[in-house]
Amino acid sequence: MGSRYKTIRIREDIYDLIRKYKEKTGASISQIVAKALAFMDLSERKPRVKEDLPLADKFSWYIAKVLMSAGSFKEDPNETNFRYLIDNLDALEERLDIETGFAKEVVNRLARKKKEHWTTDDKIEFNSAFKSLVLQMMWRLEQEVDKAMREEEKK
């Protein structure tokens, strides 16, 4: 038995969108509607994907914020940049439970030196400390996403 077809009524603007997509892709109208419905179904069955975005956004904000303040301090290690960097490191500890002791130790040591006396090893240690923070934050994000997925599966 061959395929049976039915007529559906849709607004003209929606039909124009489907027609343009058909011309662009070469897919039939039935295929386009089926694909759209499958996408809608997937998005309704996988709400955790939507929930993960705020977590990723939150962590990327803190990564950007701490790295920008680290860059400002490295470029100009004045009291204002030092204080801003320490405040950002404190926020990482308090809000994301990230261990910042090594980074604070390096920053405090470099703050006591004049920038022109920073050695290559000092700069490497500074960079390594902040790279380590980013790795910790990525690991913590992965933990949070896994936790959210397990909680979603329980529902």
Side-chain angles (χ1 to χ4, degrees):
M1 179 176 200
S3 296
R4 295 182 54 191
Y5 293 90
K6 293 281 187 175
T7 302
I8 59 172
R9 292 172 47 117
I10 58 173
R11 291 190 333 241
E12 189 173 347
D13 59 324
I14 303 296
Y15 177 78
D16 290 341
L17 285 172
I18 294 170
R19 188 178 44 74
K20 285 178 187 173
Y21 190 80
K22 176 184 183 221
E23 291 169 3
K24 185 173 111 180
T25 64
S28 71
I29 289 177
S30 294
Q31 289 171 323
I32 294 166
V33 170
K35 204 181 260 189
L37 290 171
F39 179 78
M40 285 174 45
D41 184 53
L42 180 64
S43 69
E44 289 172 3
R45 284 188 289 136
K46 302 270 185 195
R48 73 182 194 289
V49 172
K50 294 177 202 169
E51 292 167 4
D52 292 349
L53 292 177
L55 274 176
D57 185 62
K58 174 183 175 182
F59 277 79
S60 65
W61 165 250
Y62 281 105
I63 288 170
K65 192 173 178 181
V66 77
L67 291 180
M68 285 187 284
S69 61
S72 294
F73 175 78
K74 191 175 178 182
E75 183 66 29
D76 184 8
N78 61 41
E79 182 62 29
T80 301
N81 288 339
F82 170 78
R83 191 73 254 147
Y84 186 63
L85 178 54
I86 294 298
D87 289 348
N88 284 324
L89 291 171
D90 288 343
L92 289 181
E93 278 185 3
E94 293 166 19
R95 297 180 186 151
L96 301 180
D97 197 29
I98 301 296
E99 171 53 49
T100 63
F102 176 59
K104 284 181 179 177
E105 179 185 314
V106 172
V107 169
N108 281 313
R109 187 168 33 79
L110 292 179
R112 290 189 300 267
K113 286 183 169 184
K114 291 187 182 243
K115 184 179 178 183
E116 52 271 8
H117 294 127
W118 290 7
T119 66
T120 300
D121 286 343
D122 288 334
K123 295 173 189 172
I124 289 171
E125 191 173 31
F126 182 87
N127 292 340
S128 294
F130 285 90
K131 182 175 74 171
S132 174
L133 284 178
V134 171
L135 290 172
Q136 271 190 76
M137 292 168 75
M138 291 169 59
W139 180 71
R140 180 77 69 215
L141 172 61
E142 185 178 6
Q143 284 182 318
E144 293 295 322
V145 168
D146 286 346
K147 179 181 167 186
M149 288 173 62
R150 284 191 305 276
E151 289 173 3
E152 183 65 31
E153 288 171 358
K154 289 179 183 177
K155 292 180 181 180

